[in-house]
Amino acid sequence: MTAARRPLIAGNWKMNGLTADGLALARSLAAAPEGVAELLVCPPATLLAPVASALSGSRVALGGQDCHAEEAGAHTGDISAGMLADAGCSHVITGHSERRANHGETDAVVRAKAAAAHRAGLVAIVCVGETEAERDAGEAEAVVAASLLGSLPAGARPGNTVVAYEPVWAIGTGRTPTVDDVVAVHAALRAALGDRGEAMRILYGGSVKPDNAAALLAPYDVDGALVGGASLSAADFLAIAGAA
Ligand code: PEP
């Protein structure tokens, strides 16, 4: 970690929580004292409005979990980046592996969504990660670097884009790569980013918990975490943030 890249700890609540749960979690997070890391939560769309008001005035920012590439139109069930901004979001996750796997999102789709996020003034958190077979074949670094370059729109820069390295096989499984493997991939991603690499934040995501956060967040090239399951507990999420 370098002072120029403030750590970001982002929570992806996925499809979890009704209003009472979301409000209780948001209120606990909103009460957290200032700390080193920037904090972000990405609740389900139905909770954006109540969570926005619970977080108002706190150090915790709000993000969406996905957006459509277009600004408006006949896209039943979808949400545009402008709608997320209107609901109080500053960030949106694009290209999460669950979107890629369950909704057939390709790098080109992710690129269009990230571009839409930028047009709406949102920071796009662009996710990439290898499958277990790709890692076993020794292709992890090449696969994620190519996926990142395919997923970044032309205007991606450190001020509007955060990269999240999330090995598919580590998400929700309790398994993580070794710290050395994380460092190797982050270094490959930073190199692939070229001139933008030194200033752009690259998060690690995949089974980050309070007991492994300090080790995973310590390396120079790891600028925070995208946290799924552990972000549903305020105590666990804040413990991870405290390790940054
Ligand atoms: C995620 O879904 O982005 C994620 C990292 O999940 P988990 O922390 O539960 O592995």
Side-chain angles (χ1 to χ4, degrees):
M1 177 67 49
T2 157
R5 301 193 305 261
R6 187 177 180 203
L8 171 64
I9 306 298
N12 174 10
W13 295 2
K14 309 195 188 190
M15 196 174 72
N16 291 296
L18 303 180
T19 307
D21 316 302
L23 276 178
L25 182 50
R27 285 182 184 135
S28 301
L29 297 176
E34 252 324 306
V36 171
E38 194 179 321
L39 300 184
L40 169 73
V41 292
C42 302
T46 50
L47 296 184
L48 286 173
V51 170
S53 63
L55 296 178
S56 174
S58 81
R59 63 182 282 220
V60 187
L62 186 69
Q65 297 179 11
D66 177 49
C67 66
H68 197 276
E70 292 179 27
E71 280 160 36
H75 301 293
T76 303
D78 283 315
I79 297 175
S80 73
M83 291 171 178
L84 293 176
D86 185 52
C89 293
S90 51
H91 294 66
V92 61
I93 299 169
T94 58
H96 190 281
S97 69
E98 288 153 13
R99 300 287 319 172
R100 291 177 184 265
N102 301 342
H103 298 268
E105 293 188 8
T106 60
D107 289 342
V109 169
V110 176
R111 184 168 67 241
K113 290 185 172 202
H118 294 161
R119 285 196 301 276
L122 299 178
V123 174
I125 301 178
V126 178
C127 303
V128 292
E130 83 282 2
T131 63
E132 188 155 30
E134 288 164 342
R135 170 152 293 277
D136 290 346
E139 294 167 357
E141 290 159 39
V143 164
V144 297
S147 179
L148 178 62
L149 294 179
S151 301
L152 287 183
R157 49 183 170 72
N160 65 14
T161 304
V162 172
V163 175
Y165 165 52
E166 297 209 303
V168 176
W169 54 272
I171 294 178
T173 61
R175 299 165 58 208
T176 62
T178 66
V179 173
D180 285 350
D181 286 342
V182 172
V183 168
V185 172
H186 280 226
L189 290 173
R190 216 175 280 295
L193 288 166
D195 291 348
R196 302 168 289 190
E198 185 55 28
M200 196 174 282
R201 289 183 289 185
I202 305 178
L203 313 183
Y204 167 75
S207 297
V208 177
K209 308 288 177 200
D211 62 357
N212 62 19
L216 288 165
L217 293 172
Y220 171 84
D221 270 324
V222 180
D223 303 313
L226 181 52
V227 184
S231 72
L232 296 174
S233 153
D236 286 358
F237 188 66
L238 292 173
I240 291 168

